[in-house]
Amino acid sequence: MTAAAPTDRTRLRRAHERGHHDRATIDAILDATPQCAVGYTIDGAPYVTPTLHWREGDHVYWHGSSASRALRACDRAEVCLTVSILDGFVLARSGFHHSVNSRSVMLFGTAFKVTDPAEKEARLTAFIDGLFPGRTGMLRPNTEQEIKSTTILGLEIAETSAKVRSGPPKDDEEDYELPIWAGVIPVAMQAGDPIRDTRNRDGVELPAHLRGWRWPG
Amino acid sequence: MTAAAPTDRTRLRRAHERGHHDRATIDAILDATPQCAVGYTIDGAPYVTPTLHWREGDHVYWHGSSASRALRACDRAEVCLTVSILDGFVLARSGFHHSVNSRSVMLFGTAFKVTDPAEKEARLTAFIDGLFPGRTGMLRPNTEQEIKSTTILGLEIAETSAKVRSGPPKDDEEDYELPIWAGVIPVAMQAGDPIRDTRNRDGVELPAHLRGWRWPG
């Protein structure tokens, strides 16, 4: 949980007061949502694939089908994994000072593939149980073929930066005199009531890990 | 609103039944959230910047400070703009068939800068009023310098594809016999109550465009 020195890619050039490099801030943002966007290149052209990530210690992981072109393009390649959480719309007294409250992390590095089948299974278990504690213990066990046809990529949390904005609008001083409503519209992900599969067996109850389930953020 | 022929980058290689190329589907997803991730390269390395976009006709736009390195790197360069909306966690009877319900769009192309000051102002007005109808009419007008120090980038909606998954889990047929709770946990962005800036003038009421404001999705 130490701070890494900023590199040319992770130094915040503007709005320095919003930049963070400490691991506590970075980990908290990575853990507050499973949603991320992975950037990579194919033949030099940029691609961004939305996916889900999870963090274990000093690494983040994401996964998909071993047939995925996106995952194959990331393996042993430079990637940029970005997490962004929108917390609110900041409504100012001028259009120019409108903004958003948000928390984001950019991670840079060379992605690696998790190859050992036992480790792959442990990583996938951590992913599902991280979102739904204890769920994997109730499931039909993974087959060897399922583990084989799943690719898990990892990235070390090393070259990284976070950006956080919170609080009210910051208007030009003279604009505070104007009779304009300014403030924040907070937004957040919310879970709704679980929707039971119509093919569930009779008498199967909603398990504890899904009762009152809340978005991690 | 015609369908563009898929290119090598936009043809869905797997799960073809989830792929869409028609403009109605693509526009509906682009309009359902302002959140996007823009992928670009600097010195050949991939970068992903989270930002907000808006659509006007056949183009999407995003903006920021003219000093932004991300925006300068995108101008007249190949970019990939991705929008992803998470609609739910799909909980299956095996770990392997766990999935998410989601709607996503990938747009590829060469970004261009909006240069004419009057057009820039019109674009920014469309952005703010698109989220908060009528708001710009109540604001302190933009200054010439503010328009100048704002960069707006655009991208034609041409080379694009959408991917949509919805509905219940799809388990292996024999697994439906297992007494495991399966189904969907729906998730969605929700707006909270507006938070008034403590520096608002006395008597300034919440305007109509913010009363009962709902996330676009």
Side-chain angles (χ1 to χ4, degrees):
Chain A
M1 301 286 287
T2 56
T7 67
D8 190 54
R9 293 197 287 202
T10 60
R11 186 173 297 110
L12 275 288
R13 281 168 176 69
R14 293 169 306 104
H16 305 279
E17 75 285 1
R18 297 182 190 167
H20 302 268
H21 292 91
D22 65 289
R23 274 293 299 279
T25 300
I26 284 159
D27 288 359
I29 296 170
L30 291 172
D31 294 348
T33 178
Q35 292 188 275
C36 73
V38 179
Y40 53 97
T41 61
I42 295 178
D43 298 333
Y47 286 71
V48 180
T49 297
T51 188
L52 303 188
H53 71 277
W54 68 102
R55 183 180 70 86
E56 295 186 68
D58 294 333
H59 295 89
V60 291
Y61 298 95
W62 65 105
H63 85 300
S65 164
S66 298
S68 156
R69 189 169 67 145
L71 294 178
R72 278 186 278 130
C74 290
D75 182 24
R76 283 162 296 173
E78 279 285 301
V79 301
C80 172
L81 187 151
T82 298
V83 165
S84 179
I85 300 167
L86 184 61
D87 290 322
F89 292 97
V90 179
L91 297 140
R93 294 154 183 91
S94 64
F96 189 72
H97 287 295
H98 277 59
S99 186
V100 289
N101 283 338
S102 66
R103 292 165 283 160
S104 63
V105 163
M106 290 176 88
L107 281 179
F108 296 94
T110 302
F112 62 88
K113 201 187 273 190
V114 178
T115 51
D116 177 66
E119 194 197 336
K120 287 172 77 172
E121 187 144 22
R123 295 286 85 81
L124 294 169
T125 297
F127 174 41
I128 294 183
D129 285 349
L131 285 166
F132 308 104
R135 180 156 183 87
T136 58
M138 299 183 175
L139 299 176
R140 185 265 287 155
N142 296 309
T143 67
E144 210 173 295
Q145 183 51 41
E146 286 172 344
I147 296 298
K148 198 175 162 186
S149 62
T150 301
T151 288
I152 304 173
L153 294 180
L155 186 61
E156 198 187 349
I157 304 171
E159 191 178 350
T160 180
S161 64
K163 209 170 138 189
V164 177
R165 193 215 184 274
S166 60
K170 288 180 184 141
D171 272 298
D172 293 343
E173 197 50 43
E174 61 271 27
D175 290 343
Y176 284 97
E177 295 304 313
L178 299 170
I180 297 169
W181 193 96
V184 172
I185 306 285
V187 296
M189 286 292 270
Q190 302 279 353
D193 291 332
I195 301 165
R196 179 190 168 86
D197 186 354
T198 54
R199 294 188 65 181
N200 280 359
R201 297 289 303 270
D202 288 345
V204 170
E205 300 282 344
L206 189 72
H209 62 261
L210 298 178
R211 280 198 286 270
W213 189 84
R214 295 184 61 170
W215 182 260
Chain B
M1 300 287 286
T2 55
T7 67
D8 190 52
R9 293 197 287 202
T10 59
R11 186 173 298 111
L12 275 288
R13 283 168 174 69
R14 294 169 305 104
H16 305 278
E17 75 285 1
R18 297 182 190 167
H20 302 268
H21 292 90
D22 65 290
R23 275 293 300 278
T25 300
I26 284 158
D27 288 359
I29 295 170
L30 291 171
D31 294 348
T33 177
Q35 292 187 276
C36 73
V38 179
Y40 53 97
T41 61
I42 295 178
D43 298 333
Y47 285 72
V48 179
T49 296
T51 188
L52 303 188
H53 71 278
W54 68 101
R55 184 181 70 85
E56 295 186 68
D58 294 334
H59 295 90
V60 290
Y61 298 95
W62 65 106
H63 85 300
S65 163
S66 298
S68 156
R69 189 169 67 145
L71 293 179
R72 278 186 277 129
C74 290
D75 182 24
R76 284 162 296 174
E78 279 283 303
V79 301
C80 172
L81 187 151
T82 298
V83 165
S84 179
I85 300 166
L86 185 61
D87 291 322
F89 292 97
V90 179
L91 297 139
R93 294 155 184 91
S94 63
F96 189 73
H97 287 296
H98 277 59
S99 186
V100 288
N101 283 337
S102 66
R103 292 165 284 160
S104 63
V105 163
M106 291 176 88
L107 281 179
F108 296 94
T110 302
F112 62 89
K113 201 187 273 189
V114 178
T115 52
D116 177 66
E119 194 196 336
K120 286 172 79 173
E121 187 144 22
R123 294 286 86 79
L124 293 169
T125 297
F127 174 41
I128 294 183
D129 286 350
L131 285 167
F132 308 104
R135 180 157 184 87
T136 58
M138 299 184 176
L139 299 175
R140 186 265 286 155
N142 296 309
T143 67
E144 212 173 293
Q145 184 52 41
E146 286 173 343
I147 296 297
K148 199 175 161 185
S149 63
T150 301
T151 289
I152 304 173
L153 294 179
L155 186 62
E156 197 187 350
I157 303 171
E159 191 177 349
T160 181
S161 64
K163 209 169 137 187
V164 177
R165 193 214 185 274
S166 60
K170 288 180 185 141
D171 272 299
D172 292 343
E173 197 49 44
E174 60 271 27
D175 290 342
Y176 284 97
E177 294 304 313
L178 299 170
I180 297 169
W181 193 96
V184 172
I185 306 284
V187 296
M189 286 292 269
Q190 302 279 352
D193 291 333
I195 301 165
R196 178 190 169 86
D197 187 354
T198 54
R199 295 189 65 181
N200 280 359
R201 297 289 302 271
D202 288 345
V204 171
E205 301 281 343
L206 189 72
H209 61 261
L210 298 177
R211 281 198 286 270
W213 189 84
R214 294 183 60 170
W215 182 260

